[in-house]
Amino acid sequence: MGVNSTVVFADLTGSTRVFEAMGNARATETVTRLTQWIGGVCQAHGGRVVKSLGDGVFATFTSGAAATHAVIELQRYHQKRLLAWPAPLRMALQIGVASGEVVEVEGDCYGDAVNLASRLSDLAGPGQIWVTDTVIQQLRDGSVQHRDLGLINIRGRSEMSVVHRIDWQEDVTSFLTVPAALAPLRMPDSSFGQIELAWLDVRSMFRTEQLPIHLGRVDEAQFVVNDPRVSRLHARIELRQGSCVLIDVSTYGTWVRFHGNGGPSTEIALRREECVLHGRGEIGLGAPLSDFSAPTIAFNTTAGDVTLSRREIAR
C-alpha cells in the first residue's frame, strides 16, 4: 500500500560547464557538497532524502507545505550564494514538486507523483520551482506566492497537468518589468480564429480549439524553438474571451513587435506580463528583437479583439 506524500526533485543546472572549468576532482567535490546541503535543508524541514542523483536530490515529505517551505529556503539561500560566485561556476537550482500516492520498495520510492516531480524539475527553468495543483491545495491561503501556468503536457502522461510556479523571491518587485507608457491600441472587434507561427523552416497553424499552446525549447512545447536563450516552456498562448493572449513565463523575457499599416511598429518587452496578439508581427524569445540573432517567431492571426493590454499576471 502506498502513502500520500509530497515528492521533491532538486537539480543543479550547468554542472557540465563547471566540470569543464574546474576539472573533475574539484567539480565533483563542489557538486557533492551542494547536494549534501540540499539534503540537509530537506531533512531540517522534515523531509527524507531518498537518494542523491549525481547533481540532484530526490526527497519525500509528509506534507506539501513542508516541502514548499523547504524548496523556497533552498532557492533563497542558494541565490545569495551564487551572487558571490564567478559566472562560469554558477549552478542554479531547478525544482519540481508533486503530491500523490508513493510506494516504497527497499528504500526507493515509486509512483505517479515521483515521475511527475522529476519531469517538472526537468521543465522548470534555472532558479524556478514548479509544483502541481495538489501541492498548492495544501498551502494556507496567502502563505506562498505562486502563479498558475495552466495545463501543461507532461511526457508519459495521458492527461495534461495543472502546474504552478512558486515565486520565492523575497522582494518580488525587483523582478518585475515596469511598463513604459503605452497608449491603448484599438481596432475593430471580431472573434479570433487562428494563429500561424513560423520560425526558420518550421511553420504551424493553431485554431481556437487547439489553445492553449506553449512556445519553448523542449518537446512538451507545441511549438519548439531550439535555442539556448529559450526557456524550456518560454511563453503560453491561450484563448481568453475571444482574444489570443501571449503570456511570458520565461527566465529571460519575451519581446513582441506588431507590424502596423505602413507606420512604425509597436514593440513591447514582457517580463511576467501578457499582451493580446493581433494582426501580424514577431515574437522574440530570450533576447530583444533588436538583436539580429534573437530567436524570432513570426506570427499572423485572424482578426480579433485587439485591445492591447500590459498587466502583471495575478499572483
Side-chain angles (χ1 to χ4, degrees):
M1 292 290 293
V3 296
N4 285 327
S5 302
T6 298
V7 179
V8 167
F9 276 82
D11 296 309
L12 293 164
T13 67
S15 59
T16 301
R17 181 183 66 251
V18 173
F19 271 82
E20 293 174 352
M22 299 180 67
N24 288 340
R26 290 183 60 201
T28 298
E29 180 183 0
T30 300
V31 170
T32 300
R33 292 178 64 182
L34 283 173
T35 54
Q36 289 174 343
W37 167 74
I38 293 170
V41 172
C42 290
Q43 291 171 337
H45 285 266
R48 179 176 81 86
V49 175
V50 179
K51 56 186 174 182
S52 294
L53 305 166
D55 55 1
V57 170
F58 166 22
T60 60
F61 293 77
T62 57
S63 78
T68 301
H69 291 303
V71 297
I72 288 175
E73 180 178 327
L74 285 172
Q75 289 288 20
R76 287 179 175 173
Y77 188 92
H78 191 59
Q79 179 66 24
K80 294 175 182 177
R81 172 166 44 203
L82 290 183
L83 294 176
W85 287 14
L89 304 184
R90 293 176 185 172
M91 291 178 284
L93 275 172
Q94 55 188 64
I95 300 174
V97 188
S99 292
E101 186 177 77
V102 173
V103 177
E104 183 173 339
V105 179
E106 298 180 353
D108 207 344
C109 293
Y110 304 88
D112 184 57
V114 176
N115 298 331
L116 188 50
S118 176
R119 291 300 301 145
L120 291 181
S121 175
D122 291 339
L123 292 170
Q128 294 187 2
I129 303 169
W130 283 24
V131 308
T132 58
D133 200 42
T134 53
V135 175
I136 296 297
Q137 291 170 6
Q138 299 177 58
L139 303 179
R140 181 169 48 85
D141 288 347
S143 62
V144 174
Q145 289 185 313
H146 58 89
R147 180 174 313 152
D148 185 351
L149 300 181
L151 289 166
I152 293 178
N153 282 315
I154 305 295
R155 190 173 63 198
R157 292 176 61 86
S158 57
E159 296 182 354
M160 300 177 73
S161 301
V162 177
V163 177
H164 299 255
R165 190 184 73 200
I166 300 295
D167 288 329
W168 52 266
Q169 296 87 351
E170 292 176 291
D171 181 12
V172 296
T173 58
S174 65
F175 290 82
L176 304 182
T177 297
V178 178
L182 182 65
L185 176 64
R186 293 185 178 271
M187 296 176 68
D189 292 343
S190 62
S191 61
F192 166 74
Q194 59 188 14
I195 181 169
E196 181 182 23
L197 302 176
W199 174 67
L200 300 179
D201 59 346
V202 179
R203 188 177 299 271
S204 298
M205 186 78 74
F206 299 95
R207 300 182 301 275
T208 56
E209 61 269 22
Q210 295 174 290
L211 301 183
I213 62 168
H214 281 86
L215 318 178
R217 199 176 71 242
V218 295
D219 291 340
E220 281 77 8
Q222 287 75 27
F223 193 86
V224 177
V225 178
N226 188 14
D227 185 284
R229 289 166 290 186
V230 178
S231 297
R232 287 170 169 81
L233 293 180
H234 194 103
R236 185 169 78 252
I237 296 177
E238 65 180 44
L239 181 67
R240 190 186 305 164
Q241 298 179 341
S243 297
C244 181
V245 181
L246 173 72
I247 304 166
D248 172 64
V249 293
S250 71
T251 301
Y252 301 115
T254 301
W255 283 258
V256 181
R257 178 164 57 207
F258 297 95
H259 293 173
N261 297 322
S265 60
T266 302
E267 184 172 343
I268 309 169
L270 302 177
R271 183 71 184 272
R272 303 182 179 94
E273 294 176 300
E274 63 184 45
C275 72
V276 174
L277 296 180
H278 58 85
R280 60 189 182 90
E282 297 168 313
I283 301 169
L285 303 182
L289 290 162
S290 57
D291 181 348
F292 73 93
S293 69
T296 302
I297 300 171
F299 72 85
N300 191 11
T301 72
T302 60
D305 177 1
V306 293
T307 302
L308 182 63
S309 64
R310 295 190 67 197
R311 65 176 181 80
E312 175 67 8
I313 300 173
R315 291 181 177 273

